[in-house]
Amino acid sequence: MSRTARQRLGLGVSAVLLVTAALPGPAHAEATADYSITVDPSATGPEIGKTMYGVFFEDINRAADGGLYAELVQNRSFEYSTDDNEAYTPLTAWTVSGTAQVVNDAGRLADRNRNYLLLGAGSSVTNAGYNTGIAVQDGKKYDFSVWARAEAGSTLTVTLQDAGGTLAAARRITVGKGGWVRYKAGFTAGRTSTTGRLTVAAGAATAVDMVSLFPRDTYRHEPNGLREDLAEKVAALHPGFVRFPGGCLVNTGSMQDYSESSGWQRKRSYQWKDTVGPVEQRATNSNFWGYNQSYGLGYYEYFRFAEDIGAMPLPVVPALVTGCGQNRAVDDDALLKRHIQDTLDLIEFANGPVTSEWGEVRARMGHPKPFHLTHIEVGNEENLPEEFFARFRQFRAAVDARYPFMTVISNAGPDDSGPTFDAAWQLNRDARVDMVDEHYYNSPQWFLRNNDRYDSYDRSGPKVFLGEYASQGNTFGNGLAEAAYMTGLERNADVVRLASYAPLFANEDYVQWRPNLVWFDNHASWGSADYEVQKLFMSNVGDRVVPSTATGTPGAGGPITGAVGLSTWATSAAYDDVRVTAADGTTLLDDDFSGGASRWTHTGTGSWSVRDGRYVQTDDAAQNTMVQAGDPSWHDYDLHVKATKESGEEGFLVAFGVKDTGSYYWWNIGGWNNSRSAVEQAVDGGKSTLISGPGSVETGRTYDIGVKVRGRQVTLTLDGREWGSFTDRPAEPFRQVVTRDAKTGELIVKVVNARPQAARTAIDLGGADVASRAKVTTLAAAPDAVNTERSTAVAPETSTFTGVSGRFTYTFPANSVTFLRIRQR
């Protein structure tokens, strides 16, 4: 995920007209259909692989520690640091009673576990856990462990309680004289609480480390296991693959290891060798998203989890080009060679025999059999395509030489289009890369408009891995837009081989990114509306596309309409000579501001005034300072304006098609810190990019800006020369795809109706001999419906439809995703 994408996510969520939808009853054959779907069962469409849809796990939003990793104690080894977060200390999440000192010396438990706690006689420490505290359930068992040493021996008293009193009977542990020893105890909760506290008290001076409390009931009952409800939600998706560990964790920070020779660098990229072996010996790291990651959940646990849920593991390794706002190529040939060797060693760790060096490490950890790794990705969202690809070639050559069966995946940067995207794709095509990872986070309207994105991709070129995507929100309206887009992914399954929504998890009290697939706190979890969409598609993929066509929504392709506007972003600018003329030459607006600015309405931030016959916005710190003029019904017009930057970071924002404060188009000239220009469309506050290119604005220079709107075609000129043009495709709310499930012999008709009205649809199965009954699964809800801990507003409903024949009519509810499974005879 890119930092620029993260900034875009804060711009808002598209809202859709609220309509409550009922599940469909049998439709009357004589009803006039609003839509038609025609299926050609005799034609052969693309094959859909079993790994088509998967999940992407990144440690963001406390997804690992405090999340999927079942450990209940926060900062269990006293490793928190200001490197992780400015507010952190080695005693964050701990409260001391008496005397306690965090020590970093040669007496430590393990070389890469640098700190431990020296607890004074008669003193104690209490851990606050995550969220509101340590959550326990009445009657459930919990396993406590601690590493301790005491020169003269000691006793530790361990208690679990909340403000209401004892949660479980206290345990006494006798610590013998001498070196470090791991001690264990068990608790059985006497009642349920979400605000528990774990206290360890020492009878004599005692060194302690790795203070741990795990629920006995972890997923598959692993002792260093995963939180059961979160793991089960992933398993319920039946994902074809699990991509991990990043994301920005892979391509940010130092590429050095965690060792004395590197100065124990904490802000490092995620490197797999840091995360395997006994947990008390694993490294710690500063997480890019602003907290500490313990690596208790490491590569071995990822591989085990993927195996347990029947998913293909898909690890991502650093390419030594940083991204996510850092954007620096690491120029160190020896370090590059080390990372390439680490990648080869990772494949050996996953697949090698127990007689190999890293296969033996895997076996010692408890898994003698190989994990059957077949895909590996190098890098993530690199903004320096030339520098990235020079390094990628070396990774790929080394992997191909040793493991020719491996698919080595490249990427196309952090956006869906633009100069970086184009340059990266050209490099990948020229080098005949197997697969390219694309990432984008856009508005729901972008997803509704771009269903045909992959229709025109080169069928003989690299395949696409859509490794990260989401629309900007977690409402059912977002899920509808994503579902509509997924029909296009399946239709192009010969190009798009893998796809994963991102991110996977978010702890509601530690959020760095929205939206997310699964939300949780310390005791509960719930799938978003988007989760229900993903689950429906993953559970009903089919194995081959059956070609089909559908009619579109009448009127969806009307012209771009709206008023005009001027704005700035962290810039002071002056505008003059604004002229809008209709296609027939009629003047709609002509304003040189000699008589003031009475025709303009200020709808944004900033400070506007008329000075020396120009309309000037003077606050160079304000963002989105929009003023607008004209009629929202205007269409097919030419806009001309003169603009001069006076100070600030960026350039000009000239708007057209302005409907209201949240819905408009604007040409952002010299945006992104005066490095790039683009046309963005905002719908109810959520923005998506329609066309972009490099560009900057000079302070003090006057520019002549032109925007020509004809229907949905827009042409842009700068100082009389064409800068670019585009056709804005309308958002199509009715989408479908048909697949065949060879195992069950069923046709799966998948229909997304994102309209606020039901869609009566004539379905022609092209002469297929089918049973009269169809199994129906429907998601239908108000577009602004969201799932929460206490309310599941978006959930699948199953039913049976008995009116199926070679030609039949079905009414799809308003705002719905419907799957009809029809058995072929």
Side-chain angles (χ1 to χ4, degrees), residues 25-273:
H28 297 290
E30 68 272 18
T32 301
D34 299 315
Y35 295 92
S36 65
I37 297 173
T38 303
V39 184
D40 185 359
S42 64
T44 301
E47 182 180 356
I48 306 176
K50 294 179 180 179
T51 57
M52 175 70 179
Y53 296 122
V55 295
F56 167 45
F57 181 94
E58 179 177 9
D59 188 358
I60 184 174
N61 309 311
R62 286 279 188 190
D65 295 335
L68 183 62
Y69 188 48
E71 174 64 78
L72 298 175
V73 175
Q74 185 178 175
N75 190 17
R76 66 183 178 185
S77 60
F78 312 101
E79 296 293 330
Y80 278 25
S81 163
T82 53
D83 284 338
D84 310 324
N85 187 297
E86 290 181 358
Y88 281 2
T89 76
L91 284 171
T92 292
W94 293 94
T95 302
V96 176
S97 176
T99 60
Q101 179 184 4
V102 176
V103 181
N104 179 347
D105 65 15
R108 64 180 63 88
L109 172 61
D111 200 35
R112 295 197 296 175
N113 186 348
R114 307 293 292 166
N115 293 345
Y116 63 95
L117 184 71
L118 189 58
L119 196 56
S123 300
S124 66
V125 286
T126 299
N127 191 263
Y130 297 93
N131 300 90
T132 55
I134 292 173
V136 296
Q137 295 183 48
D138 185 19
K140 295 286 187 179
K141 296 183 182 298
Y142 297 86
D143 294 324
F144 172 83
S145 65
V146 63
W147 284 83
R149 63 175 173 81
E151 293 183 4
S154 180
T155 59
L156 296 177
T157 302
V158 187
T159 57
L160 189 59
Q161 55 192 359
D162 63 9
T166 300
L167 292 172
R171 294 289 182 262
R172 280 177 65 87
I173 294 172
T174 300
V175 178
K177 298 179 182 180
W180 290 101
V181 175
R182 188 180 184 218
Y183 298 92
K184 301 178 183 180
F187 290 98
T188 301
R191 56 187 176 86
T192 295
S193 175
T194 61
T195 59
R197 300 291 187 267
L198 180 77
T199 298
V200 179
T206 309
V208 297
D209 203 352
M210 296 295 290
V211 182
S212 173
L213 186 69
F214 265 84
R216 180 76 54 83
D217 294 334
T218 59
Y219 187 71
R220 299 293 177 101
H221 303 288
E222 295 289 338
N224 186 51
L226 307 181
R227 181 170 146 175
E228 198 166 32
D229 63 323
L230 294 182
E232 286 175 348
K233 278 186 168 55
V234 180
L237 291 170
H238 305 295
F241 64 87
V242 179
R243 177 180 182 249
F244 61 89
C248 289
L249 301 191
V250 165
N251 69 337
T252 55
S254 168
M255 298 294 163
Q256 299 289 342
D257 62 1
Y258 193 54
S259 67
E260 184 176 7
S261 62
S262 66
W264 304 107
Q265 294 191 42
R266 286 290 288 268
K267 295 184 177 182
R268 310 184 312 284
S269 64
Y270 196 110
Q271 299 174 49
W272 78 270
K273 289 180 180 178

Side-chain angles (χ1 to χ4, degrees), residues 513-571:
W513 185 279
R514 297 174 188 271
N516 301 284
L517 203 62
V518 176
W519 291 80
F520 64 92
D521 54 25
N522 65 352
H523 64 281
S525 59
W526 55 98
S528 65
D530 315 73
Y531 172 88
E532 296 299 340
V533 166
Q534 293 290 324
K535 185 177 180 182
L536 183 58
F537 272 84
M538 289 191 203
S539 302
N540 296 275
V541 179
D543 45 45
R544 188 172 289 279
V545 174
V546 181
S548 60
T549 58
T551 55
T553 302
I560 294 173
T561 61
V564 298
L566 309 170
S567 188
T568 60
W569 197 286
T571 302

